[in-house]
Amino acid sequence: MDRLAAIRFNNGAKSYYFSTTLDLVKGDKVVVETIRGLELGEVIADLKDMSEFNLNTELKSVKRRANRADLEVYEINKIKAEKAFQICKEIVDESGLDMRMISCEYTLDASKVIFMYTADERVDFRELLKKLASVFKCRIELRQIGPRDKAKVIGGLGTCGLPLCCNSFLGEFDGVSINMAKNQLLAINIDKISGACGRLLCCLKYEDEAYTDLKKKFPKIGSKINYDGKSVKVVGLNVISDLVKIDDNGNISFIGLDEIEKEKPHNNKPRKEEREFNKKPRYKEVSKKDQNTDSQTKTAAPKKENTNKKESSKQKSGHRPHYNHKRTQNQKGNTTNGRS
């Protein structure tokens, strides 16, 4: 029956899963086939039953348990990789490419050599591949990696004095933001909150959720609280010690979280000014009789305005109501419009 085996390569932090029918135990060396080719790995946990997991894809199987010849070839490949690394660096310097070589690895059957490098921009290494292929007589892979992957490959010690998390146990890189440092009340000093890779420390994410839960019972920084019968301002917090830093008219001190007086419920009665304002009528009350008279005046007003407009227009045009529009003839026989 197939079982699940967790295998790690080159003492890396990330583990990969393979299926196997072999009776393997933790610490056994095995040979597996990956995308790179044949590689030597180590079983890092006890085998698990496949029925415990809902797998959507088919896993590759373990080829065999590593024998003495496989272990000897692996050690020889490590020595060959060191020499190949130096040769590649010399060829890169001669070519004048802006590349910084990081590491070199051989597959177990030495059919492929993998070079890892960092670069600020994309590099055209087609000519470099031809030179390397003519020297090593095998398949060449040049892989560009970022600063975090560089720290993961090289390793080192962090500011805490322990080996880097990415090189020891972190399998994947989680997203880290500057808001996590602010949430943990850390001084925003980029040099102190950055790791060996130059990016934000991965450990900022470890306690971020715990700080978020603990800060729920604390007052917010900048808010006002009641202490010793006075209103003071919160200027800082110490989440671990349950202390609150307050400012009492320039006097800075720390008080315990249990010493903060709970705010009394606000009195819902309105203030004196509000009561007086509410007594004043905002709108004049109008009776139905007044409403009817107002509506009559409003409807009559437009008619009056129209008549005035007509009269004014007649006066301006010189219109006479008794004037006879029939054409008259004067003594001379000329026709006029009533104007002599």
Side-chain angles (χ1 to χ4, degrees):
M1 181 179 179
D2 289 348
R3 288 184 293 177
L4 197 68
I7 298 175
R8 186 169 57 189
F9 303 97
N10 296 329
N11 297 323
K14 188 175 182 179
S15 59
Y16 300 86
Y17 293 95
F18 294 83
S19 63
T20 182
T21 55
L22 302 175
D23 189 12
L24 302 174
V25 295
K26 183 179 178 180
D28 285 349
K29 302 289 184 179
V30 293
V31 177
V32 296
E33 185 176 0
T34 64
I35 299 175
R36 296 179 173 186
L38 288 179
E39 292 191 81
L40 182 71
E42 179 183 358
V43 180
I44 61 171
D46 295 334
L47 301 182
K48 297 181 180 180
D49 192 359
M50 295 280 286
S51 60
E52 298 179 7
F53 304 92
N54 293 326
L55 301 177
N56 297 325
T57 58
E58 185 178 356
L59 299 178
K60 291 186 177 182
S61 60
V62 176
K63 291 291 184 182
R64 62 179 184 274
R65 183 183 281 107
N67 51 33
R68 183 178 297 179
D70 294 327
L71 298 177
E72 291 178 356
V73 171
Y74 177 75
E75 295 298 330
I76 294 172
N77 288 340
K78 289 175 65 176
I79 298 173
K80 290 171 60 177
E82 293 178 359
K83 296 180 179 179
F85 181 74
Q86 296 298 328
I87 295 172
C88 184
K89 284 183 66 176
E90 294 176 359
I91 297 175
V92 168
D93 294 337
E94 292 175 359
S95 302
L97 297 174
D98 187 13
M99 298 169 60
R100 291 172 291 278
M101 305 306 299
I102 302 302
S103 67
C104 175
E105 297 176 7
Y106 269 98
T107 57
L108 187 62
D109 54 359
S111 62
K112 186 177 182 181
V113 58
I114 303 165
F115 295 98
M116 297 184 184
Y117 70 94
T118 60
D120 297 332
E121 297 179 356
R122 187 175 179 180
V123 181
D124 185 7
F125 47 74
R126 288 176 291 182
E127 294 297 328
L128 177 63
L129 277 176
K130 295 178 182 178
K131 295 178 181 179
L132 294 176
S134 61
V135 173
F136 298 108
K137 307 297 182 181
C138 64
R139 294 174 58 194
I140 307 296
E141 180 179 343
L142 290 170
R143 180 178 300 175
Q144 184 176 358
I145 60 176
R148 283 192 169 185
D149 292 312
K150 175 184 174 182
K152 184 176 183 178
V153 172
I154 296 176
L157 298 177
T159 55
C160 58
L162 297 176
L164 297 179
C165 299
C166 56
N167 184 253
S168 55
F169 64 88
L170 275 184
E172 299 289 344
F173 292 111
D174 294 326
V176 184
S177 65
I178 197 69
N179 292 330
M180 294 180 181
K182 294 178 180 179
N183 186 40
Q184 299 173 42
L185 307 175
L186 298 175
I188 308 303
N189 188 336
I190 300 300
D191 294 334
K192 291 184 178 181
I193 61 177
S194 298
C197 58
R199 301 292 190 268
L200 292 174
L201 291 166
C202 294
C203 55
L204 290 175
K205 190 176 179 64
Y206 300 164
E207 298 179 354
D208 183 63
E209 187 176 353
Y211 270 87
T212 302
D213 294 337
L214 290 174
K215 287 173 68 176
K216 291 180 180 178
K217 61 181 181 181
F218 283 83
K220 294 183 178 180
I221 296 177
S223 61
K224 296 285 187 177
I225 60 173
N226 296 325
Y227 172 68
D228 198 13
K230 295 180 292 184
S231 178
V232 295
K233 185 178 180 180
V234 178
V235 294
L237 303 175
N238 191 331
V239 178
I240 298 176
S241 302
D242 284 347
L243 295 177
V244 179
K245 187 178 180 181
I246 60 173
D247 181 7
D248 185 9
N249 294 327
N251 298 323
I252 306 299
S253 59
F254 285 90
I255 61 174
L257 186 62
D258 54 350
E259 299 179 29
I260 299 175
E261 298 178 5
K262 294 184 178 179
E263 293 185 0
K264 297 179 180 180
H266 296 288
N267 191 0
N268 293 328
K269 293 183 179 180
R271 294 180 299 178
K272 183 178 179 181
E273 296 81 358
E274 294 179 355
R275 291 198 299 270
E276 292 178 354
F277 179 76
N278 292 331
K279 287 180 182 179
K280 297 179 182 179
R282 298 185 182 181
Y283 303 99
K284 184 178 179 180
E285 295 181 357
V286 182
S287 61
K288 292 184 178 180
K289 185 177 180 180
D290 295 336
Q291 290 179 0
N292 294 331
T293 55
D294 290 341
S295 62
Q296 290 175 3
T297 55
K298 288 179 180 179
T299 54
K303 293 182 180 179
K304 190 174 181 180
E305 291 176 2
N306 293 334
T307 55
N308 292 335
K309 286 182 180 180
K310 289 181 180 180
E311 290 177 359
S312 62
S313 61
K314 289 178 182 179
Q315 290 175 1
K316 289 181 181 179
S317 61
H319 180 73
R320 296 177 184 178
H322 63 275
Y323 178 74
N324 188 3
H325 290 279
K326 291 183 179 180
R327 298 169 64 88
T328 59
Q329 187 176 11
N330 57 11
Q331 295 177 358
K332 295 181 180 181
N334 296 330
T335 57
T336 62
N337 290 330
R339 294 180 184 181
S340 58

